[in-house]
Amino acid sequence: STEMMGNSELSPEVDVNTLNPLISQSVVDQLLSKYMSTLTSNIIGWLRKALETDKKDWIKETEPEADQDGYYQTTLPAIVFQMFEQNLQVAAQINEDLKTKVLLLCLQQMNSFLTRYKDEAQLYKEEHLKNRQYPQCYVQYMIAVINNCQTFKESIISLKRKYLKMEMEDALSSGHTNMDATLDIIAKEGCSSLLDEVFMDLEPHLNDLMTKKWLMGSNAVGTICVTVEDYFNDFAKIKKPYKKTMTMEAHRRVVVEYIRAIMLKRISFKNAEERKEGAERMIKEAEQFRFLFKKLAAGSGEDTEGLCDIIEAIAEVIKLTDPSLLYLEVSTLVSKYPDIRDDHIAALLTVRGDASRDMKQTIIETLDQGPSQPNPNYVPIFKEITVPTLTVPKLLK
């Protein structure tokens, strides 16, 4: 048999071209339409079930599996794409048109599925915040969720490459961009929630900064560095593009918190000796942060220098021994970091402890008129930092 009636021995007996199709086109169309609607509801059901199964894993007391390169992952992307692949293979055997329709259906359902995946990851974080001891492997499974985003991206590309004609690519590009954007949001929110974990643990040590205890020699910054490094041992299991972003964000947040501690005016130096001691401590601690993030960002090509320079520039203002040069030093700071506001300068001068009210006023007023030439690579950092104002109850005390 070559498809039964096409056997060459039958050709003298019958002309196949004169025969009508066994099944009329209308019946074929009906069958294909029914096939597509059944497949749609099946895929929706399968995806829902796959996500439910994955969520059960998130609360396990054992770490997720790692791929051959040591990155945490769950089986969700593999299950989803195996299911798509099987249905596409069936469709490809029927005809080209059906194969394209099934691929479009898979990608469309994938789009809706990713929105649900995003919501579930958010709920997972919220549940964890109610009791941070639970689930036991929260950090590891959140890392797996982040890594799955990268796997989903790669799988979508390979599926399209395998089953889609080149001329269809453009028609689908907007849907693909949407999925990529959703996956990036899931990963970004995941990274952000992991950094929230780190900073919740750092809070007591951040509260020690710029206090009398800090000036007397507390090891708050040493503890901060050890804690961050400890978390990043786990974060090494995050795939590269997301890990790089996360390291940069952690670096930035540490520096923001440190500057915020200065702006909280918890300490006001009493004399030149204290100012020198405090400033030197700040410069030393900026160096500790620089060393830590250089180590964490090794090989990622991140420029880790600029952020800690801000702490050192602030230290220079505090260290200055001749108050008459204060305006000059502050104006250098403002020209480098143009998002510094008047209240930041006022807070800084309060911490210095030797600037009179009139002097503060003069410096701030003169600065307002000066030009600034910001570094084109500078990403504003002071605009994230609010300076607390004295409330009436505090004044009454």
Side-chain angles (χ1 to χ4, degrees):
S1 160
T2 55
E3 308 287 349
M4 197 160 100
M5 292 301 284
N7 189 307
S8 55
E9 289 180 22
L10 290 175
S11 55
E13 310 286 334
V14 66
D15 179 3
V16 177
N17 297 325
T18 61
L19 301 175
N20 289 326
L22 284 174
I23 303 174
S24 71
Q25 193 54 46
S26 65
V27 174
V28 170
D29 291 346
Q30 227 176 334
L31 281 169
L32 287 175
S33 160
K34 189 174 180 190
Y35 175 77
M36 285 304 288
S37 64
T38 308
L39 185 60
T40 305
S41 65
N42 283 349
I43 285 179
I44 292 169
W46 289 329
L47 286 171
R48 190 165 289 141
K49 195 172 174 198
L51 185 52
E52 287 305 318
T53 309
D54 208 54
K55 276 166 55 189
K56 284 179 188 152
D57 285 349
W58 297 356
I59 52 176
K60 279 183 177 172
E61 290 180 7
T62 50
E63 290 185 358
E65 287 177 22
D67 67 10
Q68 68 272 25
D69 299 316
Y71 299 119
Y72 285 138
Q73 58 176 12
T74 69
T75 52
L76 184 67
I79 289 169
V80 168
F81 282 92
Q82 203 175 352
M83 174 186 80
F84 287 167
E85 183 86 39
Q86 284 167 356
N87 285 291
L88 280 160
Q89 282 169 2
V90 171
Q93 286 175 10
I94 297 171
N95 62 37
E96 191 63 38
D97 184 44
L98 185 70
K99 182 184 78 175
T100 306
K101 278 184 179 164
V102 171
L103 179 63
L104 291 175
L105 169 68
C106 291
L107 293 173
Q108 197 183 356
Q109 291 307 326
M110 182 73 196
N111 216 340
S112 325
F113 168 77
L114 289 178
T115 307
R116 284 202 302 279
Y117 192 48
K118 177 168 144 309
D119 296 343
E120 290 297 349
Q122 184 60 31
L123 281 171
Y124 183 50
K125 173 193 168 179
E126 285 165 14
E127 278 303 307
H128 168 71
L129 286 175
K130 291 177 189 170
N131 172 9
R132 287 185 62 213
Q133 305 307 310
Y134 178 84
Q136 204 172 318
C137 294
Y138 169 78
V139 168
Q140 291 84 348
Y141 277 97
M142 191 53 98
I143 290 173
V145 168
I146 294 165
N147 287 341
N148 284 351
C149 293
Q150 186 64 21
T151 312
F152 274 131
K153 277 185 176 187
E154 290 159 7
S155 305
I156 291 166
I157 291 168
S158 76
L159 205 63
K160 285 168 74 173
R161 200 169 281 151
K162 191 169 174 184
Y163 291 102
L164 197 61
K165 282 182 174 169
M166 285 299 284
E167 57 268 26
M168 287 290 293
E169 268 288 341
D170 293 343
L172 278 180
S173 63
S174 70
H176 190 164
T177 313
N178 277 349
M179 282 190 272
D180 263 11
T182 308
L183 286 163
D184 281 340
I185 291 169
I186 299 168
K188 192 179 172 194
E189 286 177 352
C191 290
S192 175
S193 62
L194 288 177
L195 284 179
D196 290 345
E197 281 295 294
V198 180
F199 281 85
M200 279 186 262
D201 285 352
L202 293 183
E203 201 171 323
H205 312 295
L206 292 167
N207 289 339
D208 274 352
L209 296 175
M210 302 299 141
T211 57
K212 278 274 180 269
K213 185 178 170 186
W214 168 81
L215 192 61
M216 302 293 287
S218 88
N219 190 29
V221 167
T223 313
I224 289 169
C225 290
V226 169
T227 309
V228 170
E229 191 168 357
D230 195 34
Y231 266 103
F232 267 82
N233 286 334
D234 266 341
F235 299 162
K237 303 276 197 333
I238 297 177
K239 287 188 175 178
K240 277 201 175 66
Y242 298 128
K243 170 143 186 290
K244 180 181 176 181
T245 314
M246 194 160 174
T247 312
M248 285 162 68
E249 186 52 32
H251 189 179
R252 187 178 169 75
R253 271 173 82 167
V254 163
V255 172
V256 166
E257 290 304 329
Y258 193 93
I259 297 170
R260 182 173 282 131
I262 300 170
M263 296 300 162
L264 284 170
K265 300 176 282 199
R266 293 172 182 151
I267 194 169
S268 181
F269 297 115
K270 290 191 176 66
N271 51 42
E273 188 50 46
E274 270 196 4
R275 280 192 282 283
K276 180 171 182 276
E277 203 182 317
E280 281 174 358
R281 193 168 179 84
M282 287 159 76
I283 291 166
K284 177 175 155 263
E285 291 175 343
E287 198 45 57
Q288 280 175 269
F289 289 142
R290 192 180 274 124
F291 177 77
L292 168 71
F293 285 102
K294 211 169 198 167
K295 188 167 153 190
L296 295 181
S300 74
E302 186 212 338
D303 169 27
T304 52
E305 296 303 311
L307 286 163
C308 294
D309 292 353
I310 305 175
I311 298 174
E312 289 176 351
I314 289 173
E316 289 305 327
V317 174
I318 288 179
K319 197 176 180 178
L320 195 71
T321 47
D322 183 353
S324 65
L325 296 174
L326 207 47
Y327 167 72
L328 206 62
E329 197 66 57
V330 173
S331 62
T332 308
L333 188 72
V334 175
S335 65
K336 272 191 186 169
Y337 311 113
D339 59 323
I340 289 185
R341 295 187 306 272
D342 293 355
D343 52 353
H344 291 131
I345 295 162
L348 193 49
L349 295 173
T350 303
V351 172
R352 244 192 86 91
D354 66 341
S356 66
R357 198 177 195 144
D358 289 347
M359 193 178 186
K360 283 183 198 172
Q361 202 63 36
T362 311
I363 289 176
I364 288 167
E365 280 171 8
T366 324
L367 279 172
D368 283 344
Q369 298 146 21
S372 67
Q373 299 94 13
N375 173 346
N377 300 329
Y378 174 61
V379 179
I381 208 165
F382 285 91
K383 66 174 189 184
E384 294 177 39
I385 300 167
T386 48
V387 177
T389 49
L390 276 180
T391 51
V392 175
K394 256 191 179 168
L395 285 171
L396 290 175
K397 278 179 190 169

